[in-house]
Amino acid sequence: MNPSKTPAEIIDAGGAEVRISNPDKVIFAEPGLTKLDLVRYYLAVADGALRGAGGRPMVLKRFPKGINAEPFFQKRVPENHPDFIDTATLHYSSGTSAEEAVIRNAAGLAWVVNLGCLDLNPHPVRAEDLDHPDELRVDLDPMPGVDWSQIVDVAYVAREVLDDVGLVGWPKTSGSRGLHILVRIAPQWSYRDLRLAAETLAREVENRAPGLATARWRKEERGESVFVDFNQNAKDRTVASAYSIRALADARVSAPLTWDELASTRPEHFTVRTVPGRFADIGDPHVGIDDAVGSLTGLLDLAAELGPAEKAPRAGDGSGRRMSSMPLIEVARTKTKPEALAALEDWKTRHADLAPALHPADVLVDGMRGSSSLWYRVRVNLQHIPEAERPPQEKLIADYDPWAGKEWPGRPGSTM
C-alpha cells in the first residue's frame, strides 16, 4: 500500500454504498478540503446539483493530479461503472460517438467526485432525447479589466431581452469571474436552432448595451466588455452546472442566485465552506426552473428580423480561415497555463518599452481544447501601439504541439 494514501471509506449516499478511495487526500490546500469533504459537500446540496446535472449525459472532467495541474476530459463512461450510473450514447459533430455517464441520484454525485471530478459538465439535453436541447445557456464572460458591476448590468439587459421574448432566466455565478443565465425550453428545437437563438440574444444584448456587452466572436475585437458567449450552445459544448466546484484555490462554487441578489453579492462569497449552510437556510433559488419552460419562437423571429450576423472576411491564402481586423501577434503555445504566463512575461521583458501601452484586454491567454485536455495560446493585440512601433511576428517563445503523435484522416502529413 502506498503510505501516502489512507484506506478507502464506504459512505451511504441516498441509500447506496459508494467507495471513496484515499478520502483524506487534500484537494484544496488553502481551505484544507479533502476529497471526502468534497463528497460531503455534494451530498449536502444534492437536490440542487441534480436539478442542474441530473438526467443529462456529462463529460467527466477529471483532476487526477490536483487543481494546479491540467484536467483531462473523459467522454466515455468507465466500463466498470456501478449500476446506479446510467449511460447515453452521444454522436458528435466530428462523426465519433461516446457512451457518456448520466447521474440521477446522490450516489452518482459521490461516484464522479471519487473519480477526481470537481465540476459537473452536462450537455443541455436529457438522456431520453439527445437531439433536442431543453436548456439555453447564456454565458456572460468578462474580458480582462471588466468589473463585476458591469457583468451585473449586462445580466439585467439579458433578462430584459428574455422577458421580451417570453423566456425566464435563472442566474448563477459561473464559479470563476463570470455569470451564467439558464433558460429552460421545450425540447422541440435542434442544436442549430438553439445556437441561432443564443447568438440572436447576444446580438440584441449588444444592441441594447453597446460598449458594455459584445457578441463579437473574435476575442481581440471585444475590448473591455462582457462577451455574451452564444457558442456555449453549440452541439458538443458543456458548461459547469449549478453547485459545481471550480478549480480555484478558494474552492469557489457555481452558485444559483435570485435576481435581487446579483448587485449585492460577489462570486467569491460562494465556496464549498459557505454554500451548504446557505442551501440549508434558503434552499435552492432555482427550485422552480423546471416549471418555467419556454419557447424559442420569439428569439428565432428576432433572428429573422435582425438578419444574418456580420462575418469576418476570409484569408486569401486558401486556408479558408477568417481574418481578424486587429493587429495580432502570437507569442507562444504551451501545455500549461503557468508556462503560458511565463512566456507572456518573457515577451513583456523583451518589449519593455511597449508593454505599458497595452490595455488589459489586449493580452489574450486562451485555454484551447485539445483531444483530451487543454493547451494554451498566448497572443497580443497591438491596437494601442503606434503602427510604426509594432513588432513583427517573431518566432514563438514556446511552440507546444497538442496534436503531436496523433493522426486522423485529412491531417497534413497523416498516413491514414
Side-chain angles (χ1 to χ4, degrees), residues 33-214:
L33 293 167
T34 65
K35 181 196 277 191
L36 187 58
D37 289 329
L38 304 190
V39 172
R40 288 171 174 160
Y41 160 80
Y42 272 115
L43 296 182
V45 299
D47 180 61
L50 291 169
R51 186 170 289 111
R56 303 176 181 277
M58 63 187 294
V59 175
L60 302 175
K61 183 180 176 183
R62 301 175 67 175
F63 291 82
K65 298 181 181 180
I67 65 171
N68 295 318
E70 294 300 320
F72 73 91
F73 298 88
Q74 181 175 339
K75 292 180 179 178
R76 290 172 175 79
V77 64
E79 291 185 2
N80 60 343
H81 60 272
D83 292 341
F84 54 75
I85 297 296
D86 285 345
T87 65
T89 300
L90 272 74
H91 296 271
Y92 296 98
S93 301
S94 61
T96 61
S97 64
E99 187 179 16
E100 294 194 3
V102 179
I103 62 173
R104 298 188 184 275
N105 48 39
L109 290 169
W111 180 76
V112 297
V113 175
N114 186 58
L115 290 179
C117 298
L118 298 180
D119 49 344
L120 311 175
N121 288 268
H123 292 269
V125 292
R126 304 285 179 174
E128 294 75 20
D129 186 351
L130 300 176
D131 295 321
H132 299 98
D134 74 329
E135 185 171 81
L136 183 150
R137 296 164 173 180
V138 183
D139 182 7
L140 303 183
D141 184 12
M143 291 293 289
V146 172
D147 185 73
W148 176 252
S149 61
Q150 183 173 333
I151 303 171
V152 171
D153 289 341
V154 173
Y156 281 122
V157 175
R159 184 192 190 188
E160 180 183 85
V161 176
L162 290 170
D163 287 344
D164 288 349
V165 294
L167 293 171
V168 180
W170 301 77
K172 71 180 182 70
T173 63
S174 69
S176 183
R177 295 180 58 237
L179 189 71
H180 296 158
I181 304 173
L182 306 179
V183 182
R184 287 286 195 269
I185 59 171
Q188 299 173 0
W189 290 272
S190 67
Y191 270 103
R192 183 175 182 179
D193 291 332
L194 180 72
R195 188 183 182 280
L196 175 59
E199 183 179 23
T200 302
L201 172 70
R203 293 173 64 193
E204 182 62 14
V205 171
E206 180 180 24
N207 289 341
R208 298 189 188 191
L212 291 180
T214 181

Side-chain angles (χ1 to χ4, degrees), residues 45 243 255-258 261 265 269-270 273-285:
V45 299
Y243 295 99
L257 305 172
T258 67
E261 290 180 294
T265 193
H269 294 166
F270 305 100
R273 294 287 193 199
T274 65
V275 167
R278 167 185 165 87
F279 191 88
D281 290 341
I282 71 170
D284 181 13

Side-chain angles (χ1 to χ4, degrees), residues 238-254:
T238 63
V239 297
S241 59
Y243 295 99
S244 285
I245 303 169
R246 307 309 303 270
L248 298 178
D250 59 358
R252 200 171 297 184
V253 166
S254 179

